[in-house]
């Protein structure tokens, strides 16, 4: 390939007015603040109530599209926020009728972490359209576009916009090498054009793409197609702004940005400098910076609600290390949180060291949801549970599904030794498949209707339960008043945030007074005329018992001596596969535990009888919690 000399944009007369003449080839800008922005910075915890004050303003800003849904929002809303995901879509549409809505759809994964049956995919996409979605950014974590087929047909039948995605990943710090090179991406784009997409998105989920690499890639793509090209990149490495500008010089049609308060770090480049930098060029966006500033000022009012979710341990806004381990920001925060919960944060360097090896074992796959979680969780398991490197002592269900072919075709063949171990006694068989995964999955919706019919009131409720049976059922109980919404799920008010901030200010200034009771330290605090008594653990005082039941160390001892089962990692109980009185033998799966959105089978380590069950579906458990008591066989 012969690349050009990287010319500059054409300069035009400088005009700052909002009514300035339209540029010759204006760049189209998408806003992703209401989805990927807060997903990247605030663990997807942004609430609808904090989006509504800016919704109408964003609708008037002149964006090409606004990403409002998809990705992790569907999961997080019903699981952690007590919000109906479908209702957010409907409400935002009322406030934003002008600008097309965009969503991130994980192909056959839909908005979950496994491939669902075709009838689930069809139902979800149709209901998304019926509730207001316009543009479907459809990707597959393995870049296996067969996993688009079912969703694409529904999108096309409804005359909506199908944007096909190529997930951008690397095996080295820059584009090139034997795997992820220019030829690989050009061929993937050609496959999407042949597929019949309406536009193509280069999705750089980890902020890996270098400015000159994206310039050359866009120029090469433009040689064979007029299909609009959309660049989606993150700021993690610090190259996001530069990459967008070189892509614009190369002729990219659409770029993704965030409004200032939701930009940078592991999020996306900000729109404000983009607008101002392109003034006086033939690619001027035409957007009014004053309107954007007003939106940013309004957003800033609600940011204090989410500051506690910032998991960045660094003061720096960039992390060039992402180019060395190619790990998306969301995956990194998951790994850190999981290791913290297990008191094993010191193992993080070892996790980083093994990540590339596990990735290679699993077929050199791109790292994006759900494959990023699949590789990340398996690496953590290997670090924590293997007695020697490469043992794979605790293999997640998702790794087994990947090895079987249920996620599609991997970039390279999977390590045959790992694949053989993963598929030993695999329920579907020990021989991997090569067919489109969705073609072998049995329909699911009828069974969902039968199981959740008494609780689900409409098709939207049924689709929610099809995607998330455990947490979906729990949410519907909250939604319809069967169970009370837990306090930690309810929205925090600005008044509560302000009181917390005042408490922190007084603590820092020494205005708190100790009452000196108990083993901890009680502090009496008066904020706005209201008195609070706050107890803080005294690190120099005697430890206070945290529970009255069986101690975790005793639970672990039970497991060693009797075969009883304790949680090896923190997570949520998905299913208990036995009942009291059942006879079990070594290797039987007793409990399915979800950790970091991946499923772990906990197997019997001794032969015996189930004497007691101490967990139920939906329970959150900590490492070391006793789950089952097994009476050993004499």
């Amino acid at each position: 390939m012969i690349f050009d000399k990287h010319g500059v944009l054409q300069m035009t007369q400088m005009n700052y007015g909002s009514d300035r003449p339209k540029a010759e080839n204006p760049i189209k800008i998408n806003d992703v603040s209401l989805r990927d922005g807060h997903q990247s910075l605030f663990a997807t915890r942004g609430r609808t109530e904090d989006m509504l004050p800016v919704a109408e303003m964003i609708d008037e800003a002149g964006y090409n599209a606004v990403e409002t849904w998809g990705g992790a929002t569907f999961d997080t809303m019903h699981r952690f926020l007590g919000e109906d995901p479908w209702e957010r879509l409907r409400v935002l549409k009322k406030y934003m009728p002008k600008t097309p809505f965009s969503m991130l759809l994980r192909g056959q994964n839909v908005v979950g972490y496994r491939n669902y049956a075709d009838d689930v995919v069809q139902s979800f996409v149709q209901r998304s359209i019926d509730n207001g979605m316009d543009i479907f950014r459809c990707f597959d974590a393995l870049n296996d576009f067969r996993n688009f087929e079912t969703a694409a047909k529904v999108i096309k039948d409804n005359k909506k916009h199908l944007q096909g995605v190529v997930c951008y990943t690397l095996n080295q710090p820059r584009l090139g090498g034997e795997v992820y090179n220019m030829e690989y991406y050009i061929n993937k784009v050609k496959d999407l054009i042949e597929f019949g997409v309406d536009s193509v998105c280069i999705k750089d989920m980890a902020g890996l793409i270098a400015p000159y690499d994206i310039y050359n890639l866009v120029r090469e793509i433009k040689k064979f197609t007029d299909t609009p090209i959309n660049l989606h990149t993150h700021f993690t490495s610090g190259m996001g702004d530069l990459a967008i500008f070189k892509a614009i010089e190369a002729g990219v049609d659409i770029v993704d940005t965030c409004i200032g308060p939701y930009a940078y770090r592991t999020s996306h480049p900000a729109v404000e400098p983009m607008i101002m930098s392109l003034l006086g060029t033939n690619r001027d966006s035409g957007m009014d910076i004053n309107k954007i500033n007003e939106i940013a000022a309004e957003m800033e009012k609600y940011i204090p609600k989410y500051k506690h979710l910032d998991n960045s341990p660094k003061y720096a806004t960039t992390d060039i290390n992402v180019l060395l381990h190619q790990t998306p920001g969301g995956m990194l925060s998951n790994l850190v949180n999981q290791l913290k919960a297990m008191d094993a944060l010191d193992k993080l360097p070892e996790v980083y060291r093994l990540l590339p090896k596990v990735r290679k074992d699993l077929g050199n796959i791109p790292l994006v949801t759900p494959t990023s979680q699949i590789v990340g969780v398996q690496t953590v398991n290997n670090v924590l549970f293997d007695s020697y490197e490469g043992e794979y002592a605790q293999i997640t269900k998702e790794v087994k599904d990947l090895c079987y072919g249920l996620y599609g075709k991997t970039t390279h063949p999977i390590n045959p030794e790992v694949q053989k171990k993963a598929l030993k006694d695999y329920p579907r068989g020990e021989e991997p498949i090569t067919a489109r995964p969705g073609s072998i999955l049995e329909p699911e919706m009828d069974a969902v209707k039968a199981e959740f019919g008494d609780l689900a009131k409409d098709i939207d409720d049924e689709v929610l339960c099809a995607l998330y049976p455990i947490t979906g059922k729990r949410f519907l109980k909250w939604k319809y008043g069967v169970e009370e919404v837990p306090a930690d799920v309810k929205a925090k008010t600005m008044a509560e945030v302000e009181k917390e901030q005042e408490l922190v200010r007084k603590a820092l200034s020494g205005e708190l007074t100790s009452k000196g009771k108990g083993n901890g330290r009680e502090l009496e605090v008066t904020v706005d005329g209201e008195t609070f008594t706050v107890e803080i653990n005294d690190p120099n005082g005697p430890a206070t018992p945290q529970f009255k039941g069986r101690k975790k160390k005793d639970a672990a001892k039970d497991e060693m001596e009797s075969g009883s089962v304790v949680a090896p990692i923190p997570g949520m109980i998905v299913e208990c596969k036995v009942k009291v009185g059942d006879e079990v033998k070594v290797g039987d799966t007793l409990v399915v535990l979800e950790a970091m959105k991946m499923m772990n089978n906990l197997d019997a380590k001794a032969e015996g009888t189930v004497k007691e069950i101490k967990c139920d579906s939906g329970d959150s458990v900590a490492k070391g919690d006793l789950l089952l008591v097994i009476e050993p066989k004499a």
Side-chain angles (χ1 to χ4, degrees), residues 192-207:
L192 286 177
I193 302 301
E194 186 177 349
F195 190 94
V197 299
D198 298 304
S199 61
V200 172
C201 176
I202 307 299
K203 177 179 170 61
D204 174 24
M205 50 276 178

Side-chain angles (χ1 to χ4, degrees), residues 524-579:
E524 188 170 286
V525 187
T526 302
V527 181
D528 295 335
E530 187 174 355
T531 300
F532 299 85
T533 299
V534 183
E535 183 170 336
I536 299 175
N537 287 333
D538 186 350
N540 298 315
T544 303
Q546 299 299 309
F547 49 83
K548 295 181 180 179
R550 182 190 302 265
K551 293 182 179 180
K552 291 179 181 178
K553 64 178 182 180
D554 293 335
K557 184 178 178 182
D558 281 344
E559 184 178 40
M560 294 292 292
E561 294 182 354
S562 70
S564 298
V565 179
V566 302
I569 49 179
M572 182 185 72
I573 302 298
V574 174
E575 182 183 5
C576 186
K577 288 183 169 289
V578 293
K579 59 183 182 296

Side-chain angles (χ1 to χ4, degrees), residues 74 84 86 90 127 131 458-465:
F74 203 95
D84 188 333
W86 301 104
R90 291 189 291 265
R127 289 307 301 156
N131 279 291
D458 54 30
I459 181 64
D460 289 347
D461 288 348
E462 291 168 356
V463 172
L464 173 62
C465 290

Side-chain angles (χ1 to χ4, degrees), residues 322-386:
V322 73
L323 298 176
L324 307 180
H325 51 67
Q326 290 93 38
T327 309
M331 176 182 172
L332 285 179
S333 61
N334 278 341
L335 293 177
V336 170
N337 286 333
Q338 183 74 356
L339 291 170
K340 277 183 179 177
M342 300 183 68
D343 295 323
L345 195 55
D346 61 307
K347 302 291 187 184
L348 188 59
E350 182 68 1
V351 171
Y352 281 153
R353 186 184 73 81
L354 283 184
L355 257 170
K357 295 186 177 184
V358 174
R359 183 188 187 190
K360 186 176 181 180
D361 281 344
L362 298 182
N364 249 327
I365 53 181
L367 296 178
V368 63
T369 304
T371 53
S372 54
Q373 281 87 346
I374 291 174
V375 172
V377 174
Q378 188 58 56
T379 304
V380 170
N381 282 1
N382 287 5
V383 169
L384 296 177
F385 304 122
D386 284 3

Side-chain angles (χ1 to χ4, degrees), residues 289-489:
I289 190 65
N290 295 306
K291 289 185 177 180
I292 300 298
N293 281 340
E294 291 173 3
I295 298 169
E298 186 66 25
M299 282 180 160
E300 287 283 4
K301 296 178 182 178
Y302 309 100
I303 291 291
K305 286 187 179 183
Y306 304 105
K307 281 186 176 180
H308 67 288
L309 294 164
D310 178 15
N311 198 36
S312 174
K314 297 182 178 180
Y315 185 70
T317 58
T318 63
D319 181 9
I320 206 67
N321 286 316
V322 73
L323 298 176
L324 307 180
H325 51 67
Q326 290 93 38
T327 309
M331 176 182 172
L332 285 179
S333 61
N334 278 341
L335 293 177
V336 170
N337 286 333
Q338 183 74 356
L339 291 170
K340 277 183 179 177
M342 300 183 68
D343 295 323
L345 195 55
D346 61 307
K347 302 291 187 184
L348 188 59
E350 182 68 1
V351 171
Y352 281 153
R353 186 184 73 81
L354 283 184
L355 257 170
K357 295 186 177 184
V358 174
R359 183 188 187 190
K360 186 176 181 180
D361 281 344
L362 298 182
N364 249 327
I365 53 181
L367 296 178
V368 63
T369 304
T371 53
S372 54
Q373 281 87 346
I374 291 174
V375 172
V377 174
Q378 188 58 56
T379 304
V380 170
N381 282 1
N382 287 5
V383 169
L384 296 177
F385 304 122
D386 284 3
S387 58
Y388 60 87
E389 187 171 311
E391 181 183 8
Y392 284 83
Q394 177 74 36
I395 301 179
T396 67
K397 176 182 180 297
E398 286 75 14
V399 167
K400 294 178 181 180
D401 291 344
L402 178 75
C403 290
Y404 184 69
L406 277 189
Y407 283 92
K409 184 180 180 181
T410 55
T411 308
H412 280 172
I414 294 172
N415 181 327
E417 292 182 7
V418 174
Q419 190 169 40
K420 182 178 180 180
K421 185 164 189 175
L423 295 182
K424 186 178 184 301
D425 299 325
Y426 184 73
R428 292 179 180 272
E430 298 187 2
E431 189 67 29
I433 63 167
T434 57
R436 179 181 74 89
S439 66
I440 72 162
L441 297 175
E442 294 296 323
E444 299 179 44
M445 289 304 296
D446 285 346
V448 169
K449 292 174 183 177
E451 182 177 354
F452 299 98
D454 293 340
L455 194 57
K457 305 298 183 187
D458 54 30
I459 181 64
D460 289 347
D461 288 348
E462 291 168 356
V463 172
L464 173 62
C465 290
L467 297 174
Y468 294 101
I470 305 301
T471 55
K473 181 178 181 180
R474 182 180 63 184
F475 167 73
L476 292 184
K477 289 180 178 178
W478 298 342
K479 179 180 177 180
Y480 295 117
V482 178
E483 292 180 359
E484 186 177 349
V485 179
D488 62 347
V489 173

